[in-house]
Amino acid sequence: MSETGVQVGVFDSGVGGLSVLRAIRSLLPAQDLLYFGDQAHVPYGPRSLEEVRTFSEEITRFLLRRGAKLVVVACNTASAAALQHLRLTFPEIPFVGMEPAVKPAAETSRTHRVGVLATPATFQGALYASVVERFASGTTIFQDTLPGLVHEIEAGRLAGAETRRILETALRPMLAEQIDTVVLGCTHYPFVIPLIQEIVGPSVQVIDPAPAIARQTRRLLQPPGYLAQDQASGSLHFFTSGAARPFIKILPRLLGESGPVEAVRWDGLNLPD
Ligand code: DGL
């Protein structure tokens, strides 16, 4: 029997994880969802793995206090920095994490040349190194960290001149190297897929891992009976460590729907109860 009212916690450095939340919502519309965007500390990408690990643990504690029974780390950077640590620290909680989708890219690329877009911290982490080592032998990988793009997306500039410049600077040299696949290794980037696809053209495939993450969330919810089925539409609650107003404004644009948004002050080391 399924318990109703089981909350799934989802977090990211900012609005990027909404691309994952959108996919979860579409696959599991009855599930109650909590979302935390750590906009006081965005971007995570240039920070040290230790710092991102500390933030991730504190956000997880916050989501568990609010009733989350499963946590989706909807951030490649936080997954690189903290996933292993979170699983050890909270052994009773199932976690879903992200890793750049190098495996499907390497399997489907015809040119065996793949572009990966992710943050500096994600590229530094052991998770990425292990994914490349396990799945990308025989594939040449071209990497770029797209400096400034997360900032543009947080500000809602999904098709602005600066957004285009950052993407073209990264993608043009990759196209010159005959890539035929682009991996989105940061959850902010799916929001600029239309622009990416316009730059790379229709023959290059762009891989957004969000639907696969939603399916993995469903798989992990099933065995403990956490999958909600008894209500038409699950609740949505949003928390930001930044200001509520800009988050409220951008939410319907990115997610296609809205819900209550609470600003949470994060002054010292710990989040409030
Ligand atoms: N959305 C994030 C990721 O998937 C982090 C972006 C950032 O804060 O730098 O990596």
Side-chain angles (χ1 to χ4, degrees):
M1 235 189 70
S2 78
E3 274 182 51
T4 49
V6 170
Q7 307 266 7
V8 170
V10 179
F11 78 89
D12 177 52
S13 61
V15 297
L18 294 173
S19 67
V20 177
L21 190 83
R22 186 174 59 180
I24 295 174
R25 186 83 172 145
S26 141
L27 188 70
L28 307 171
Q31 203 71 42
D32 293 336
L33 303 173
L34 302 171
Y35 183 87
F36 191 101
D38 188 10
Q39 293 181 302
H41 301 120
V42 67
Y44 278 2
R47 294 177 186 272
S48 73
L49 294 171
E50 289 70 28
E51 195 177 19
V52 176
R53 192 174 307 137
T54 307
F55 295 151
S56 302
E57 181 178 334
E58 190 53 23
I59 295 167
T60 300
R61 289 190 193 285
F62 178 89
L63 290 169
L64 298 183
R65 286 198 295 275
R66 300 288 163 138
K69 295 281 192 286
L70 177 147
V71 174
V72 180
V73 185
C75 174
N76 290 76
T77 309
S79 297
L83 193 56
Q84 217 179 0
H85 171 77
L86 293 175
R87 286 184 170 137
L88 288 171
T89 310
F90 306 98
E92 71 291 1
I93 299 296
F95 285 91
V96 179
M98 321 267 320
E99 60 184 28
V102 168
K103 183 173 186 249
E107 280 168 1
T108 52
S109 170
R110 287 157 189 255
T111 58
H112 304 290
R113 298 167 88 76
V114 166
V116 180
L117 309 177
T119 68
T122 296
F123 284 132
Q124 274 158 34
L127 193 59
Y128 179 69
S130 116
V131 165
V132 169
E133 193 189 305
R134 280 181 295 147
F135 305 119
S137 61
T139 300
T140 309
I141 305 253
F142 301 88
Q143 299 174 187
D144 202 285
T145 59
L146 300 168
L149 186 61
V150 166
H151 177 72
E152 294 304 305
I153 293 169
E154 285 285 318
R157 293 188 286 269
L158 307 183
E162 178 61 5
T163 305
R164 180 181 287 275
R165 187 198 63 74
I166 295 167
L167 285 169
E168 284 186 342
T169 305
L171 292 167
R172 294 262 175 250
M174 292 184 180
L175 290 170
E177 295 284 357
Q178 317 298 331
I179 60 150
D180 67 351
T181 306
V182 174
V183 173
L184 303 184
C186 168
T187 54
H188 279 75
Y189 302 163
F191 294 119
V192 291
I193 285 178
L195 190 50
I196 293 176
Q197 202 73 67
E198 187 193 318
I199 294 167
V200 298
S203 60
V204 173
Q205 67 160 341
V206 178
I207 301 185
D208 171 9
I213 298 300
R215 290 194 295 275
Q216 176 65 359
T217 304
R218 182 174 60 184
R219 264 194 293 278
L220 292 192
L221 283 170
Q222 251 153 2
Y226 288 165
L227 202 56
Q229 286 151 340
D230 308 341
Q231 50 186 0
S233 180
S235 62
L236 285 174
H237 281 96
F238 301 90
F239 303 91
T240 174
S241 56
R245 200 175 290 187
F247 193 93
I248 291 168
K249 201 169 154 217
I250 203 170
L251 194 51
R253 260 185 87 198
L254 299 183
L255 191 63
E257 59 181 323
S258 217
V261 176
E262 203 179 304
V264 179
R265 280 181 76 92
W266 193 342
D267 289 335
L269 271 182
N270 301 117
L271 277 163
D273 285 347

